[in-house]
Amino acid sequence: MEKIKKGVRLEHISKIYKDPKTGKDFYAVKDTDLEIKPGSFVTLLGPSGCGKTTTLRMIAGFESPDEGEIYLGDEPINELTPNKRDTAMVFQSYALLPHYNIFDNVAYGLKLRKLPKDVIKEKVMKILELVKLSGMEGRMTNQLSGGQQQRVALARALVIEPSVLLFDEPLSNLDAKLRVEMRTEIRRIQQEVGITAVYVTHDQSEAMAISDQIIIMDKGVVAQMGTPEEIYYHPVSEFVADFIGEANFLRGKYVGNDGKYAVLDFEGNKLKTPPKDDMKVGEQYTAVLRPEAAKLGDEGGLECRVIVSCFMGAYQNYHVMVGDTLVKLEDHNPKNRRVYKVGEKCHLLIDTDALHVI
C-alpha cells in the first residue's frame, strides 16, 4: 500500500532567543504561518539570521517553538522528539559514520528500527540504485568524493521512508559545478519518490532551480511566498526584489495613465509601467527593472551615459547613468551587436511590460 503523502503546517510559530551581549530577548522567528503542500519542494531562502534554519530545526524537532503549533499532516508534533517525527534531515556536514562503509551508513536507521536483515538489504540496495551508487556499497566514506558523500547522506535519509525530507544547506561544501549537478539530482529524486521536501539555502539560483515554492524570510518573518516566477517577476517589496536576482529600482512620481500603462516622472522622463492597484497621482512609486529587461540603442528610450562596459561571455554587462540613477543591464549574446564603451552617450530601451511597481 502506497504511503499517504503529508504536508507541513505552521500556525503562529515563534522562537525567542536571548541576545548574549545585551541580555534582551529577540525573535528569531515571529508569528509565522506556513502551509507546505504534500509532495511539494519548498525552499526557505534569506540572508544570515533571517530565521530560515531555526524554522527548519523546529520542524525537525531540534528546536521547540515558544509559541504556536507545528503539524505534520493533521498531527500536531510539538511534543514529539526528532526520532518520533515522520521526518529525516540531510545535513550540511553529511554527518556520516567514518568507520562504516556505504551500506552500513545507509542501513543505520533501519537497524535501529530492528528490521529483518533481508528487508534491510533489499531497501538499501534499492535506494543506492536511486542515488546512483549501486556497486559501491562496500566502500568506506573516506574513499568518496564530496558529491558521493552527499548521495550517501541523501540515501540514508530516504531509506527510512519519511513523509518529509529536510535539507539544511546540503550543498554548501561542494564546488560550484558539483553543486549544480547535485541540486539537479536532489530535485530528480524528490520528484521520483514524490516526497515533501523543505530545503534551506542562501543561494538564490539554487532556490530558483529546484523549488515549487520559495519562502523568502527577513528578520524572522515571511517576506513573500510564491513560485520562483512569482517571486522574480512580482516581488512585493524592495527587499524581495533585491534578494532574488539583480534588480534596478527606478523611482518616480505618478503623473497619470497613458492607455493601459501608468506613467512615472523618472529623472525628467516619462516612464511607462504596468499599473499597480490604487496608484495616486502625485505620490512616489518604485518600478523594479531586471537587468535582462533592458538594452542599449542609438535612439529612443531614455538618454544615458555608459560608466561600465564589461564582456562576460554570454552577455555584455553595462552600468549606465540615467540622470542621477544607476541602472545595471545585461545585453545577452552580444557577439554580432554594437558594444558601447565607457563614456559613450546612448539610449536605454526598457521592456515596459517587464517592469513591476512595488
Side-chain angles (χ1 to χ4, degrees):
M1 183 176 168
E2 187 176 345
K3 187 172 182 178
I4 297 173
K5 295 179 182 178
K6 296 179 184 177
V8 179
R9 190 168 81 254
L10 278 62
E11 292 187 355
H12 302 292
I13 290 296
S14 294
K15 182 64 183 177
I16 302 168
Y17 291 124
K18 191 177 290 292
D19 188 320
K21 292 183 179 179
T22 64
K24 294 181 179 179
D25 290 343
F26 70 94
Y27 280 93
V29 177
K30 185 174 182 180
D31 196 24
T32 293
D33 290 315
L34 286 178
E35 184 159 2
I36 297 168
K37 294 180 180 179
S40 65
F41 197 119
V42 174
T43 297
L44 296 168
L45 179 66
S48 296
C50 71
K52 59 185 185 295
T53 299
T54 300
T55 301
L56 188 80
R57 289 177 62 82
M58 284 192 288
I59 296 171
F62 300 132
E63 301 279 357
S64 297
D66 294 302
E67 300 165 359
E69 187 71 60
I70 301 172
Y71 294 85
L72 184 57
D74 295 324
E75 179 188 10
I77 60 173
N78 281 26
E79 303 304 318
L80 299 180
T81 56
N83 63 310
K84 298 295 184 184
R85 300 188 183 197
D86 194 6
T87 63
M89 178 85 88
V90 180
F91 295 95
Q92 177 180 345
S93 61
Y94 315 139
L96 301 179
L97 301 167
H99 53 289
Y100 281 12
N101 61 21
I102 289 178
F103 183 96
D104 290 333
N105 263 281
V106 175
Y108 186 74
L110 299 176
K111 289 178 179 177
L112 289 179
R113 288 161 172 77
K114 297 183 167 39
L115 269 64
K117 286 186 177 181
D118 57 335
V119 174
I120 290 175
K121 184 175 181 180
E122 181 185 352
K123 286 180 177 291
V124 171
M125 299 311 288
K126 184 178 178 181
I127 211 73
L128 288 179
E129 183 178 354
L130 181 68
V131 300
K132 299 181 179 178
L133 289 175
S134 294
M136 299 177 63
E137 57 272 10
R139 288 197 190 179
M140 303 301 290
T141 55
N142 63 3
Q143 298 173 313
L144 305 177
S145 67
Q148 289 169 334
Q149 289 184 49
Q150 189 56 270
R151 289 172 191 269
V152 175
L154 181 58
R156 184 180 57 187
L158 284 167
V159 78
I160 62 173
E161 299 177 7
S163 289
V164 178
L165 194 54
L166 307 171
F167 295 90
D168 184 13
E169 302 204 42
L171 307 182
S172 57
N173 290 335
L174 304 179
D175 62 57
K177 188 174 180 180
L178 194 52
R179 283 182 73 132
V180 173
E181 179 185 322
M182 278 305 302
R183 77 188 187 198
T184 304
E185 278 295 285
I186 285 172
R187 180 58 162 155
R188 174 189 68 81
I189 291 166
Q190 181 267 335
Q191 289 179 316
E192 189 170 328
V193 175
I195 195 171
T196 305
V198 186
Y199 190 101
V200 162
T201 184
H202 60 271
D203 186 314
Q204 298 96 320
S205 60
E206 198 166 284
M208 297 277 280
I210 61 178
S211 307
D212 295 310
Q213 297 265 307
I214 296 174
I215 298 166
I216 295 188
M217 298 191 70
D218 179 31
K219 298 175 183 175
V221 300
V222 174
Q224 187 172 352
M225 179 175 181
T227 66
E229 293 82 1
E230 288 168 344
I231 297 285
Y232 189 78
Y233 290 120
H234 301 285
V236 297
S237 66
E238 287 192 29
F239 171 80
V240 173
D242 195 39
F243 194 81
I244 195 88
E246 189 85 53
N248 298 292
F249 300 108
L250 313 183
R251 309 180 201 281
K253 184 186 293 184
Y254 175 48
V255 296
N257 274 13
D258 180 5
K260 71 172 184 176
Y261 296 111
V263 180
L264 301 182
D265 181 352
F266 166 64
E267 296 285 357
N269 302 283
K270 287 186 176 181
L271 178 67
K272 295 181 181 181
T273 76
K276 180 185 179 183
D277 291 341
D278 302 324
M279 293 181 75
K280 295 180 180 178
V281 173
E283 290 195 0
Q284 294 285 328
Y285 292 90
T286 298
V288 178
L289 172 67
R290 297 296 185 183
E292 70 276 8
K295 59 183 179 180
L296 298 181
D298 293 333
E299 57 186 10
L302 311 178
E303 289 189 4
C304 63
R305 179 172 55 87
V306 179
I307 60 171
V308 171
S309 178
C310 182
F311 177 65
M312 300 297 292
Y315 63 92
Q316 189 76 15
N317 184 36
Y318 291 110
H319 292 188
V320 301
M321 295 299 298
V322 180
D324 293 326
T325 301
L326 171 68
V327 179
K328 302 174 183 179
L329 61 146
E330 298 171 359
D331 189 0
H332 287 261
N333 196 22
K335 183 178 180 182
N336 296 318
R337 288 204 291 277
R338 179 183 170 186
V339 173
Y340 292 87
K341 298 179 181 179
V342 172
E344 279 194 84
K345 291 184 177 180
C346 52
H347 293 254
L348 180 66
L349 309 175
I350 294 173
D351 179 357
T352 300
D353 290 313
L355 289 169
H356 173 68
V357 176
I358 53 176

